[in-house]
Amino acid sequence: MAGIDLTGKNAIVTGGHSGLGLVATRALAEAGASVVVGSRDTDRAAKAVAGIQNVEVGQLDLLVPESIDAFVARYLDTGRPLHILINNAGFSGPGGIVRDARGYEAQFAANHLGHFQLTLGLHPALRAAGGARVVNTTSGAQRMSDILWDDPHFTTGRHSPDLAYAQSKTANVLFTVELDRRWSADGIRAYAPHPGIVPATDFNKSAGEEAQRAMGLIDESGEPIIDPDRGKKTPEQGAATIVFAATSPLLAGVGGVYLNNCDISPLDADPNPIDLTADEVPADVAPHSIDPRSAQRLWQLSEKLIERSPA
């Protein structure tokens, strides 16, 4: 962010009050941007961002379509263009399956569909910016699964939280690819950053200490293990790729890409899920995550899914 002036720019960060989102919110605001933080718990969010200038909080529940529409309407009513949209909030799935009111699996619904609906609603403000960026925070977990086209909501009983998470993170990348194809002519570019594994965030802590130790994320005393060369990062190191996507002039004229370590990821043509160990956490992008035909197919499916009324 050194040397980047965002004075006069407007940004929205979903989940911008905790973890990587809070670090990104602070970085954007300190560079001069006006930031709206979208959060389910506005009281908690307001306390978290207290003292950061040019930051306001708006109620946003990505599992509730009416909440998304209300958030969009409030922002559009301000008449402000939107220069940066960081779709960062994530739903951490528990052991069992969780569904929203429509019957949709919650990680897919919140991590992808909620942000899809939000972004489509904010398109007029993004277009009005005359140059905007949409940043969809993803994960190296995109390597682990394509979209489960025949059953994305796990109605056949094969659900696991890890598989559901991986599908949602692949969706983030495919959404990025198709959004950039459709909207780049309007000056809107899209990016999917993988922040790395950040043990200190509530999201990763939710796995529990035993699982974190098995993954080599915390030591015996429960302290985070920081090893950025192996993808294990501090919150600031993790958020770096997110704010790089949102602001870096190095990405001018480039879009629809998956980012890792503040750079465009090489393609791993043969991603092997079983090579994941505590010392080796591969995170390069898999072919299924950037396939343009899949990206168009997911966009069309997502449009149909967000049109469905709650049961």
Side-chain angles (χ1 to χ4, degrees):
M1 296 295 290
I4 293 179
D5 183 4
L6 299 179
T7 302
K9 305 293 186 183
N10 301 311
I12 291 173
V13 184
T14 69
H17 61 288
S18 65
L20 299 174
L22 179 58
V23 178
T25 294
R26 185 178 293 112
L28 297 177
E30 289 179 352
S34 297
V35 183
V36 178
V37 168
S39 172
R40 285 183 299 172
D41 188 338
T42 54
D43 289 340
R44 177 188 173 205
K47 291 176 182 176
V49 302
I52 307 176
Q53 293 189 342
N54 301 319
V55 176
E56 59 185 282
V57 174
Q59 204 283 329
L60 175 64
D61 189 333
L62 291 165
L63 286 173
V64 180
E66 296 81 4
S67 174
I68 299 169
D69 287 343
F71 182 93
V72 168
R74 288 193 301 270
Y75 189 86
L76 295 182
D77 284 348
T78 69
R80 291 179 290 181
L82 180 59
H83 302 86
I84 298 169
L85 170 60
I86 300 181
N87 291 322
N88 174 78
F91 181 85
S92 176
I97 191 167
V98 176
R99 300 188 184 279
D100 69 4
R102 299 166 293 190
Y104 297 162
E105 190 278 321
Q107 292 198 77
F108 187 76
N111 298 352
H112 169 59
L113 287 177
H115 283 127
F116 180 83
Q117 180 181 341
L118 176 70
T119 305
L120 264 60
L122 290 169
H123 180 256
L126 291 162
R127 185 175 53 202
R133 295 189 182 189
V134 176
V135 178
N136 299 312
T137 302
T138 184
S139 165
Q142 49 79 29
R143 298 162 56 88
M144 306 300 183
S145 178
D146 198 347
I147 303 300
L148 305 175
W149 298 107
D150 59 331
D151 187 23
H153 303 303
F154 299 95
T155 61
T156 59
R158 59 175 170 171
H159 173 268
S160 77
D162 290 344
L163 181 58
Y165 179 72
Q167 175 183 233
S168 74
K169 295 294 101 178
T170 293
N172 294 151
V173 188
L174 291 172
F175 176 36
T176 297
V177 170
E178 181 64 3
L179 188 155
D180 195 83
R181 186 188 74 83
R182 288 174 178 250
W183 292 2
S184 59
D186 289 335
I188 304 166
R189 306 310 300 260
Y191 309 90
H194 163 57
I197 300 175
V198 183
T201 63
D202 289 341
F203 186 87
N204 280 303
K205 287 179 181 177
S206 67
E209 288 195 7
E210 184 176 344
Q212 284 190 296
R213 286 195 183 92
M215 291 185 288
L217 300 182
I218 60 174
D219 60 23
E220 288 305 314
S221 63
E223 291 299 312
I225 295 174
I226 304 303
D227 188 354
D229 289 340
R230 290 181 169 82
K232 304 169 187 178
K233 302 179 181 181
T234 66
E236 289 74 20
Q237 290 168 341
T241 302
I242 296 173
V243 297
F244 173 81
T247 66
S248 176
L250 294 173
L251 293 171
V254 177
V257 291
Y258 172 96
L259 304 173
N260 186 22
N261 293 324
C262 294
D263 202 352
I264 297 172
S265 167
L267 179 68
D268 186 346
D270 187 25
N272 184 357
I274 65 173
D275 57 6
L276 179 65
T277 68
D279 293 322
E280 187 66 29
V281 187
D284 290 338
V285 70
H288 64 248
S289 296
I290 56 172
D291 181 85
R293 290 169 298 180
S294 292
Q296 292 182 45
R297 183 180 179 185
L298 178 64
W299 187 288
Q300 293 164 355
L301 173 63
S302 302
E303 286 181 322
K304 293 178 181 177
L305 290 173
I306 66 172
E307 289 172 358
R308 178 179 168 185
S309 299

